[in-house]
Amino acid sequence: MSTPLIIVIALIAVLILWVIGTYNGFIKIRNRCDEGFATMDVYLKKRFDLIPNLVATVKGYAKHEADTLEKVIAARNEGSRTSVGEKIEDENQISNAIRQIFALSESYPDLKANENFKELQKKLADIEEDIANSRKYYNAVVKQFNTKCQMVPSNIIAKIFGFTPQPMFTVDSSEERANVKVEF
């Protein structure tokens, strides 16, 4: 074998190893993105399951506020779409609805003093903290994945194998960025 042929074979072998390594790197990061979203989904489900109890407790005190409570229930019931982007949108709507319930509770001192309501608020606050932490993790791995999709030369492999940037979990409205006032 001649030296140029050996060099060409070595270069092809290095290129193949690089493609395999880059592809496997994408798979690894994509799986971490999926894991991060699945973990967040578990906490969102826990919050989703708390909503009927919260609404039922508030209904007893604020019967004429049915409009607000119906919005909460509607937001909860719509939260069953499947794509990541749709789930993020649904989650933001549910957050707004819960914010409305707590704003409503400010008008009802008896409700704020109700032990069941206070317990539900505490559980919800704990779940919100878990959701926030899981959002941070999810966004961190999505950032890593998206960076790899966009940087040269790994973006070539991303295009060849159909890896596309994933959506970050962001808050789109200024209303959602406002602090939620939760009092005990």
Coordinates of all heavy atoms in Angstrom, one line a residue, residues 37-88:
F37 N -37.6 17.3 30.5 CA -39.0 17.6 30.3 C -39.9 16.6 31.0 O -40.9 17.0 31.6 CB -39.3 17.7 28.9 CG -40.6 18.4 28.6 CD1 -40.7 19.8 28.6 CD2 -41.8 17.7 28.5 CE1 -41.9 20.4 28.5 CE2 -43.0 18.3 28.4 CZ -43.1 19.7 28.3
A38 N -39.5 15.3 31.0 CA -40.4 14.3 31.7 C -40.4 14.6 33.2 O -41.4 14.4 33.8 CB -39.8 12.9 31.4
T39 N -39.3 15.0 33.8 CA -39.2 15.3 35.2 C -40.1 16.5 35.5 O -40.9 16.5 36.5 CB -37.8 15.6 35.7 OG1 -37.0 14.5 35.4 CG2 -37.7 16.0 37.1
M40 N -40.1 17.5 34.7 CA -40.9 18.7 34.8 C -42.4 18.3 34.7 O -43.2 18.7 35.4 CB -40.5 19.8 33.8 CG -41.3 21.0 34.0 SD -40.9 22.4 32.9 CE -39.8 21.7 31.7
D41 N -42.6 17.4 33.7 CA -44.0 16.9 33.5 C -44.6 16.2 34.7 O -45.8 16.4 35.0 CB -44.0 16.0 32.3 CG -45.2 16.1 31.4 OD1 -45.8 17.2 31.4 OD2 -45.5 15.2 30.6
V42 N -43.7 15.5 35.5 CA -44.2 14.9 36.7 C -44.7 15.9 37.7 O -45.8 15.8 38.3 CB -43.1 14.0 37.3 CG1 -43.4 13.6 38.7 CG2 -42.8 12.8 36.5
Y43 N -43.9 17.0 37.9 CA -44.3 18.0 38.8 C -45.6 18.8 38.3 O -46.4 19.2 39.1 CB -43.2 19.0 39.0 CG -42.0 18.4 39.8 CD1 -40.8 18.4 39.2 CD2 -42.2 17.8 41.0 CE1 -39.7 17.8 39.9 CE2 -41.2 17.2 41.7 CZ -39.9 17.2 41.1 OH -38.9 16.6 41.8
L44 N -45.6 19.0 37.0 CA -46.8 19.7 36.4 C -48.1 18.8 36.6 O -49.1 19.3 36.9 CB -46.6 19.9 34.9 CG -45.5 20.9 34.6 CD1 -45.3 21.0 33.0 CD2 -45.8 22.3 35.1
K45 N -47.9 17.5 36.5 CA -49.0 16.6 36.8 C -49.5 16.7 38.2 O -50.7 16.7 38.5 CB -48.6 15.1 36.4 CG -49.6 14.1 36.8 CD -50.8 14.1 35.9 CE -51.7 12.8 36.1 NZ -52.9 13.1 36.6
K46 N -48.5 16.7 39.2 CA -48.9 16.9 40.6 C -49.7 18.1 40.8 O -50.7 18.1 41.5 CB -47.6 16.9 41.4 CG -47.0 15.5 41.6 CD -45.6 15.6 42.3 CE -45.8 15.7 43.8 NZ -44.5 15.6 44.5
R47 N -49.2 19.2 40.2 CA -49.9 20.5 40.3 C -51.3 20.4 39.6 O -52.3 20.8 40.2 CB -49.2 21.6 39.7 CG -49.9 23.0 39.9 CD -49.1 24.1 39.3 NE -49.1 24.1 37.9 CZ -48.5 24.9 37.1 NH1 -47.8 25.9 37.7 NH2 -48.5 24.8 35.8
F48 N -51.3 19.7 38.5 CA -52.6 19.5 37.7 C -53.6 18.8 38.6 O -54.8 19.1 38.6 CB -52.2 18.7 36.5 CG -53.3 18.4 35.6 CD1 -53.7 19.3 34.6 CD2 -54.0 17.2 35.6 CE1 -54.7 19.1 33.7 CE2 -55.0 16.9 34.6 CZ -55.4 17.9 33.7
D49 N -53.1 17.8 39.4 CA -54.0 17.0 40.3 C -54.5 17.8 41.5 O -55.5 17.5 42.0 CB -53.3 15.7 40.7 CG -53.1 14.7 39.6 OD1 -53.8 14.9 38.5 OD2 -52.3 13.8 39.7
L50 N -53.7 18.8 41.9 CA -54.1 19.6 43.0 C -55.2 20.6 42.7 O -56.0 21.1 43.5 CB -52.9 20.4 43.6 CG -52.1 19.9 44.7 CD1 -50.9 20.8 45.0 CD2 -52.9 19.6 45.9
I51 N -55.3 21.0 41.4 CA -56.2 22.1 41.0 C -57.6 21.8 41.4 O -58.3 22.7 41.9 CB -56.0 22.4 39.5 CG1 -54.7 23.1 39.3 CG2 -57.1 23.3 39.0 CD1 -54.3 23.3 37.8
P52 N -58.2 20.6 41.1 CA -59.6 20.4 41.5 C -59.8 20.6 43.0 O -60.9 21.1 43.4 CB -59.9 18.9 41.1 CG -58.8 18.6 40.1 CD -57.6 19.4 40.4
N53 N -58.9 20.2 43.9 CA -59.1 20.4 45.3 C -59.0 21.9 45.6 O -59.8 22.3 46.5 CB -57.9 19.7 46.1 CG -58.0 18.2 45.9 OD1 -59.1 17.6 45.7 ND2 -56.9 17.5 46.0
L54 N -58.2 22.6 45.0 CA -58.0 24.0 45.2 C -59.3 24.7 44.8 O -59.9 25.5 45.5 CB -56.8 24.6 44.5 CG -56.4 26.0 44.7 CD1 -56.0 26.2 46.2 CD2 -55.2 26.3 43.8
V55 N -59.8 24.4 43.6 CA -61.0 25.0 43.1 C -62.2 24.7 44.0 O -63.0 25.5 44.3 CB -61.3 24.5 41.6 CG1 -62.7 24.9 41.1 CG2 -60.2 25.1 40.7
A56 N -62.3 23.4 44.4 CA -63.4 23.0 45.2 C -63.4 23.8 46.6 O -64.5 24.2 47.1 CB -63.4 21.5 45.5
T57 N -62.3 24.0 47.1 CA -62.1 24.7 48.4 C -62.6 26.2 48.2 O -63.3 26.8 49.0 CB -60.7 24.7 48.9 OG1 -60.3 23.3 49.1 CG2 -60.6 25.4 50.2
V58 N -62.1 26.8 47.1 CA -62.5 28.2 46.8 C -63.9 28.3 46.5 O -64.6 29.3 46.9 CB -61.6 28.7 45.7 CG1 -62.0 30.1 45.3 CG2 -60.1 28.7 46.1
K59 N -64.5 27.4 45.8 CA -65.9 27.5 45.4 C -66.8 27.6 46.6 O -67.8 28.3 46.5 CB -66.4 26.2 44.6 CG -66.2 26.3 43.2 CD -66.8 25.0 42.5 CE -66.6 25.1 41.0 NZ -67.1 23.9 40.4
G60 N -66.5 27.0 47.7 CA -67.3 27.1 48.9 C -67.4 28.5 49.4 O -68.4 28.9 50.1
Y61 N -66.4 29.3 49.2 CA -66.3 30.7 49.7 C -66.7 31.7 48.7 O -67.1 32.8 49.0 CB -64.9 31.0 50.2 CG -64.6 30.2 51.5 CD1 -64.1 28.9 51.5 CD2 -64.9 30.8 52.7 CE1 -63.8 28.3 52.7 CE2 -64.6 30.1 53.9 CZ -64.1 28.9 53.9 OH -63.8 28.2 55.0
A62 N -66.5 31.4 47.4 CA -66.7 32.4 46.4 C -67.6 31.9 45.3 O -67.2 31.8 44.1 CB -65.3 32.8 45.8
K63 N -68.8 31.6 45.6 CA -69.7 31.0 44.7 C -70.0 31.9 43.5 O -70.1 31.5 42.4 CB -71.0 30.7 45.4 CG -70.9 29.5 46.3 CD -72.3 29.2 46.9 CE -72.3 28.0 47.7 NZ -71.8 27.9 49.0
H64 N -70.0 33.3 43.7 CA -70.3 34.2 42.6 C -69.1 34.5 41.7 O -69.1 35.3 40.8 CB -70.9 35.5 43.1 CG -70.0 36.2 44.0 ND1 -69.8 35.9 45.3 CD2 -69.2 37.3 43.8 CE1 -68.9 36.8 45.9 NE2 -68.6 37.6 44.9
E65 N -67.9 33.8 42.0 CA -66.7 34.0 41.2 C -66.6 32.8 40.3 O -65.4 32.4 40.0 CB -65.5 34.1 42.2 CG -65.5 35.2 43.2 CD -65.2 36.6 42.5 OE1 -65.0 36.7 41.3 OE2 -65.3 37.6 43.3
A66 N -67.7 32.3 39.8 CA -67.6 31.1 39.0 C -66.8 31.3 37.7 O -66.2 30.3 37.2 CB -69.1 30.7 38.7
D67 N -66.8 32.5 37.2 CA -66.1 32.8 36.0 C -64.6 32.5 36.1 O -64.0 31.8 35.3 CB -66.2 34.3 35.6 CG -66.4 34.5 34.1 OD1 -66.8 33.5 33.4 OD2 -66.2 35.6 33.7
T68 N -64.0 33.0 37.2 CA -62.6 32.7 37.5 C -62.3 31.3 37.7 O -61.3 30.7 37.1 CB -62.1 33.5 38.8 OG1 -62.4 34.9 38.6 CG2 -60.7 33.3 39.1
L69 N -63.2 30.6 38.4 CA -63.0 29.2 38.7 C -63.1 28.3 37.4 O -62.4 27.4 37.2 CB -63.9 28.7 39.7 CG -63.7 29.4 41.1 CD1 -64.8 29.0 42.1 CD2 -62.4 29.2 41.7
E70 N -64.0 28.7 36.5 CA -64.2 28.0 35.3 C -63.0 28.2 34.4 O -62.6 27.2 33.7 CB -65.5 28.5 34.5 CG -66.8 28.0 35.2 CD -68.0 28.6 34.5 OE1 -67.9 29.1 33.4 OE2 -69.1 28.5 35.2
K71 N -62.3 29.4 34.4 CA -61.1 29.6 33.6 C -60.0 28.6 34.1 O -59.3 28.1 33.3 CB -60.6 31.0 33.8 CG -61.5 32.0 33.0 CD -60.9 33.4 33.2 CE -61.8 34.4 32.5 NZ -61.4 35.8 32.8
V72 N -59.9 28.4 35.4 CA -58.9 27.5 36.0 C -59.2 26.1 35.5 O -58.3 25.4 35.1 CB -58.9 27.6 37.6 CG1 -58.0 26.6 38.1 CG2 -58.5 29.0 38.0
I73 N -60.4 25.7 35.6 CA -60.8 24.3 35.2 C -60.5 24.2 33.7 O -60.0 23.1 33.3 CB -62.2 24.0 35.6 CG1 -62.3 23.9 37.1 CG2 -62.7 22.7 35.0 CD1 -63.8 23.9 37.6
A74 N -60.9 25.2 32.9 CA -60.7 25.1 31.5 C -59.2 25.0 31.1 O -58.8 24.2 30.3 CB -61.3 26.3 30.8
A75 N -58.4 25.8 31.8 CA -57.0 25.7 31.6 C -56.4 24.4 31.9 O -55.6 23.8 31.3 CB -56.2 26.8 32.4
R76 N -56.9 23.8 33.0 CA -56.5 22.5 33.5 C -56.9 21.4 32.4 O -56.1 20.6 32.1 CB -57.1 22.1 34.8 CG -56.7 20.8 35.3 CD -57.5 20.4 36.5 NE -57.2 19.1 37.0 CZ -57.8 17.9 36.6 NH1 -58.7 18.0 35.7 NH2 -57.4 16.8 37.1
N77 N -58.1 21.5 32.0 CA -58.6 20.5 31.0 C -57.9 20.6 29.7 O -57.8 19.6 29.0 CB -60.1 20.6 30.9 CG -60.8 20.2 32.2 OD1 -60.2 19.5 33.0 ND2 -62.0 20.6 32.3
E78 N -57.5 21.8 29.3 CA -56.8 21.9 28.0 C -55.3 21.4 28.1 O -54.7 21.2 27.1 CB -56.7 23.4 27.6 CG -58.1 23.9 27.1 CD -58.1 25.4 26.8 OE1 -57.0 26.0 26.8 OE2 -59.2 25.9 26.6
G79 N -54.8 21.2 29.3 CA -53.4 20.8 29.4 C -53.1 19.4 29.1 O -52.4 18.7 29.8
S80 N -53.6 18.9 27.9 CA -53.4 17.5 27.6 C -52.8 17.4 26.2 O -52.8 16.3 25.6 CB -54.7 16.7 27.7 OG -55.7 17.3 26.9
R81 N -52.3 18.5 25.6 CA -51.7 18.4 24.3 C -50.3 17.7 24.4 O -49.8 17.5 25.5 CB -51.6 19.8 23.7 CG -53.0 20.4 23.5 CD -53.0 21.7 22.8 NE -52.4 22.7 23.5 CZ -52.2 23.9 23.0 NH1 -52.6 24.2 21.8 NH2 -51.6 24.9 23.7
T82 N -49.7 17.3 23.3 CA -48.6 16.4 23.3 C -47.2 17.1 23.0 O -46.2 16.6 23.6 CB -48.8 15.2 22.4 OG1 -49.1 15.7 21.1 CG2 -49.9 14.4 22.9
S83 N -47.1 18.0 22.1 CA -45.8 18.5 21.8 C -45.2 19.4 22.9 O -46.0 19.9 23.7 CB -45.9 19.3 20.5 OG -46.3 20.7 20.7
V84 N -43.9 19.5 23.0 CA -43.3 20.3 24.0 C -43.7 21.7 24.0 O -44.1 22.3 25.0 CB -41.7 20.2 23.9 CG1 -41.0 21.1 24.8 CG2 -41.3 18.8 24.1
G85 N -43.8 22.3 22.8 CA -44.3 23.7 22.7 C -45.7 23.9 23.2 O -46.0 24.9 23.9
E86 N -46.6 22.9 22.8 CA -48.0 23.0 23.3 C -48.0 22.9 24.8 O -48.8 23.6 25.5 CB -48.8 21.9 22.6 CG -49.0 22.2 21.1 CD -49.7 21.0 20.5 OE1 -49.6 19.9 20.9 OE2 -50.4 21.3 19.5
K87 N -47.3 21.9 25.3 CA -47.3 21.7 26.8 C -46.8 23.0 27.5 O -47.3 23.3 28.6 CB -46.4 20.5 27.2 CG -47.1 19.2 26.9 CD -46.3 18.0 27.4 CE -47.1 16.8 27.2 NZ -46.5 15.6 27.9
I88 N -45.8 23.6 27.0 CA -45.3 24.9 27.6 C -46.3 25.9 27.6 O -46.6 26.6 28.6 CB -44.0 25.3 26.8 CG1 -42.8 24.4 27.1 CG2 -43.6 26.8 27.2 CD1 -41.6 24.6 26.3

